[in-house]
C-alpha cells in the first residue's frame, strides 16, 4: 500500500541556547536524539531548520541601548531627528527606539496610518472614511489624531502604541513630537535628519528623502552595522530583524551563518547517510485576518540555507488536471493518468503552463520558512529546531 502521509513538519526540542554554544553540534545531537527516542527515520531531501533567534544567541550577537544611541548620534548628529515608519511592537522596536531617543535631543516620530508596515492598525479604514481623512495626503498632528480617533488600543496587546512610544522617548530624556503621515518626505517639514525604520520599503523611502533634500538619511539597516564598544552587529541588516532581549539590550539578526547550515548538513550526512537540506528561518509570511498583522518583521525569511533549497516550486495543480485534461476519468484510471503527467514533468520549468496555475508563486525558502515559523511558534514550545519530511514529494512517491 502507498504511504498515506505527505508533508510532515515536526518541532524538535533543544536545550536553551547560550552565547558561545556549539550550535552545529547541538542541532545535530537534537536530531539524532529524535531518531533514537521518537523513531524519526531520516530520508534524503528532508529539511532541518533552526530559528534565527538561537543562531544569534549562540553567536552572542547583542547590542545595548547605549551602543545604539552612540551609533545614532554619530550618524544623525544628536540633535532633532525624524524617526519614520516604525512598526508598532514592544518586542521588535521599543528597545531600538529607546536607543534612538538616547541618541537625540528631540525625536519627531512619524507613524504611518491606518496601520504600520506589517499590519498593526492604529485606526480602522472605515473610520478614515467616516472622518473624511485621506491617508495618502493628510498629515495629522497628535492633537488632530486624538480629536478624530481618540485613544485606541491594539486588539490583542491592549497597548496604545502612540502613547507608549511617546512616553518611552520622554523617559529616555528626549523631547518628542508625534505626527501621522504616509509620505516619507512629509518629515522634511520638521527636520532634515531622518532615520527611516520601514523594513521592506526602506530603499524607496531613502531614495525619496534624498531626492527631496534631506541632509542625513539612514535606515535601521545602517545602524549597528559595525561593533560599537565591543557590541554585536550585523553588517547587512543593522537593527533590522532585531528582538528585545532585556529592557536595555536587543538581540540582532544573525550574521555569517552560511557555514553553519553547511556544517550541520555535513554532520547529519556522516551520522545518518542521508542528504538533508538545512536552513535558518525568521518570520514567515502569513496574515492574521482578525489582528490583521503580517509576520514580516525580519528583512528576509531565511538568511542562510543549503543549495538544495534554492528556487521555487515546480508543481502541477492536481485539481486542474482532474477537471480538465482527465475530466472523463475516475478512480484508479484517473490516479494513474495524473501520476503519468507528474512523471512527465522532466524537471523543465512550468512557468506559463496552465496546469501549474494556482500553485504558490513564492521561493522555497519563504514557503518552508513560513511552515517552520508556524510549527515552532514564538512562545514556550521549546522547539527552535524544525524537521520536515515529504516537502519535496509528490503524488507519485510511495
Amino acid at each position: 500500500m502507498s504511504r498515506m502521509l505527505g508533508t510532515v513538519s515536526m518541532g524538535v526540542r533543544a536545550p536553551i541556547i547560550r552565547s558561545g554554544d556549539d550550535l552545529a553540534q547541538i542541532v545535530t545531537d537534537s536530531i539524532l536524539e529524535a531518531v533514537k527516542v521518537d523513531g524519526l527515520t531520516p530520508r534524503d531531501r528532508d529539511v532541518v531548520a533552526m530559528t534565527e533567534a538561537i543562531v544569534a544567541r549562540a553567536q552572542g550577537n547583542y547590542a545595548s541601548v547605549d551602543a545604539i544611541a552612540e551609533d545614532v548620534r554619530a550618524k544623525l548628529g544628536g540633535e532633532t531627528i525624524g524617526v519614520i515608519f516604525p512598526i508598532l511592537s514592544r518586542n521588535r522596536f521599543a528597545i531600538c527606539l529607546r536607543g534612538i531617543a538616547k541618541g537625540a535631543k528631540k525625536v519627531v516620530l512619524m507613524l504611518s496610518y491606518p496601520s504600520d508596515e506589517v499590519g498593526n492598525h492604529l485606526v480602522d479604514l472605515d473610520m478614515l472614511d467616516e472622518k473624511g481623512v485621506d491617508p495618502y495626503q493628510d498629515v495629522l498632528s497628535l492633537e488632530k489624531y486624538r480629536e478624530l480617533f481618540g485613544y485606541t488600543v491594539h486588539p490583542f496587546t491592549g497597548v496604545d502604541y502612540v502613547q507608549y512610544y511617546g512616553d518611552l522617548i520622554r523617559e529616555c530624556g528626549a523631547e518628542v513630537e508625534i505626527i501621522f503621515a504616509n509620505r516619507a518626505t512629509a518629515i522634511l517639514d520638521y527636520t532634515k535628519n531622518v532615520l527611516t525604520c520601514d523594513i521592506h520599503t526602506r530603499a524607496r523611502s531613502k531614495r525619496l528623502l534624498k531626492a527631496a533634500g534631506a541632509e542625513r538619511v539612514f535606515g535601521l539597516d545602517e545602524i549597528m552595522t559595525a561593533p560599537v564598544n565591543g557590541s554585536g552587529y550585523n553588517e547587512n541588516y543593522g537593527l533590522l530583524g532585531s528582538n528585545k532581549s532585556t529592557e536595555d539590550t536587543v538581540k540582532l539578526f544573525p550574521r555569517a551563518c552560511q557555514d553553519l547550515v553547511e556544517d550541520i548538513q555535513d554532520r547529519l550526512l556522516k551520522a545518518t547517510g542521508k542528504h538533508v537540506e538545512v536552513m535558518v528561518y525568521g518570520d514567515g509570511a502569513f496574515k492574521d485576518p482578525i489582528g490583521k498583522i503580517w509576520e514580516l518583521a525580519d528583512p528576509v525569511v531565511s538568511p542562510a540555507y543549503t543549495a538544495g533549497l534554492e528556487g521555487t516550486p515546480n508543481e502541477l495543480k492536481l485539481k486542474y488536471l482532474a477537471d480538465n485534461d482527465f475530466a472523463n476519468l475516475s478512480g484508479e484510471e484517473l490516479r494513474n493518468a495524473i501520476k503519468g503527467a507528474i512523471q512527465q514533468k522532466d524537471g523543465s520549468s512550468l512557468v506559463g503552463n496552465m496546469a501549474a496555475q494556482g500553485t504558490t508563486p513564492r521561493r522555497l525558502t519563504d514557503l518552508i520558512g513560513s511552515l517552520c515559523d508556524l510549527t515552532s511558534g514564538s512562545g514556550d514550545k521549546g522547539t527552535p529546531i524544525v524537521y520536515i519530511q515529504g516537502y519535496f514529494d509528490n503524488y507519485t512517491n510511495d
Side-chain angles (χ1 to χ4, degrees), residues 112-385:
S112 56
Y113 74 103
S115 71
D116 68 9
E117 182 182 6
V118 299
N120 289 300
H121 273 63
L122 287 171
V123 295
D124 190 81
L125 276 169
D126 291 332
M127 289 189 70
L128 295 184
D129 297 337
E130 179 185 326
K131 301 294 184 179
V133 175
D134 182 352
Y136 301 104
Q137 296 295 326
D138 296 342
V139 178
L140 307 179
S141 65
L142 176 59
E143 293 71 25
K144 187 63 176 178
Y145 169 84
R146 292 299 192 196
E147 175 190 329
L148 290 169
F149 307 115
Y151 290 78
T152 59
V153 299
H154 191 282
F156 293 151
T157 66
V159 174
D160 178 343
Y161 280 97
V162 177
Q163 185 72 45
Y164 176 61
Y165 279 179
D167 289 345
L168 187 153
I169 293 168
R170 283 184 285 269
E171 288 168 6
C172 292
E175 184 184 347
V176 61
E177 182 174 359
I178 300 176
I179 62 173
F180 303 80
N182 290 303
R183 289 180 293 108
T185 53
I187 195 67
L188 298 180
D189 290 337
Y190 302 82
T191 178
K192 304 297 183 184
N193 301 317
V194 185
L195 178 63
T196 180
C197 301
D198 43 346
I199 305 161
H200 306 290
T201 56
R202 61 188 184 275
R204 179 174 185 266
S205 294
K206 292 178 200 176
R207 174 175 56 81
L208 292 172
L209 286 163
K210 290 174 182 177
E215 294 175 1
R216 303 189 197 191
V217 178
F218 290 88
L220 280 184
D221 59 325
E222 295 170 295
I223 305 298
M224 300 308 302
T225 53
V228 176
N229 298 324
S231 72
Y233 67 101
N234 190 301
E235 63 271 48
N236 295 317
Y237 301 117
L239 285 175
L240 287 183
S242 63
N243 294 85
K244 177 180 178 178
S245 176
T246 70
E247 293 299 327
D248 296 305
T249 58
V250 293
K251 176 197 63 59
L252 301 172
F253 207 53
R255 52 183 301 270
C257 42
Q258 186 62 36
D259 287 347
L260 173 67
V261 297
E262 293 175 0
D263 186 11
I264 293 172
Q265 183 181 58
D266 184 59
R267 292 181 190 224
L268 288 172
L269 177 61
K270 290 175 180 175
T272 68
K274 301 301 180 182
H275 183 88
V276 303
E277 304 298 342
V278 183
M279 66 182 284
V280 177
Y281 68 94
D283 277 347
F286 41 83
K287 185 175 183 180
D288 170 6
I290 303 301
K292 303 176 184 178
I293 186 174
W294 290 91
E295 280 287 313
L296 285 169
D298 286 326
V300 291
V301 172
S302 178
Y305 51 88
T306 51
L309 296 177
E310 187 63 62
T312 58
N314 196 47
E315 301 172 345
L316 295 169
K317 198 77 169 179
L318 298 194
K319 65 182 181 182
Y320 180 91
L321 293 175
D323 291 346
N324 291 272
D325 296 35
F326 308 123
N328 60 326
L329 303 180
S330 62
E332 191 65 21
E333 191 177 9
L334 174 59
R335 175 185 172 89
N336 291 334
I338 288 179
K339 280 188 172 185
I342 294 171
Q343 290 165 343
Q344 290 171 17
K345 284 194 300 184
D346 71 18
S348 58
S349 174
L350 294 171
V351 173
N353 187 321
M354 289 297 289
Q357 66 178 334
T359 56
T360 307
R362 288 171 56 191
R363 298 191 310 171
L364 288 169
T365 50
D366 294 341
L367 290 163
I368 296 170
S370 297
L371 175 60
C372 290
D373 195 15
L374 286 167
T375 301
S376 61
S378 59
D380 58 8
K381 288 184 172 60
T383 57
I385 303 166

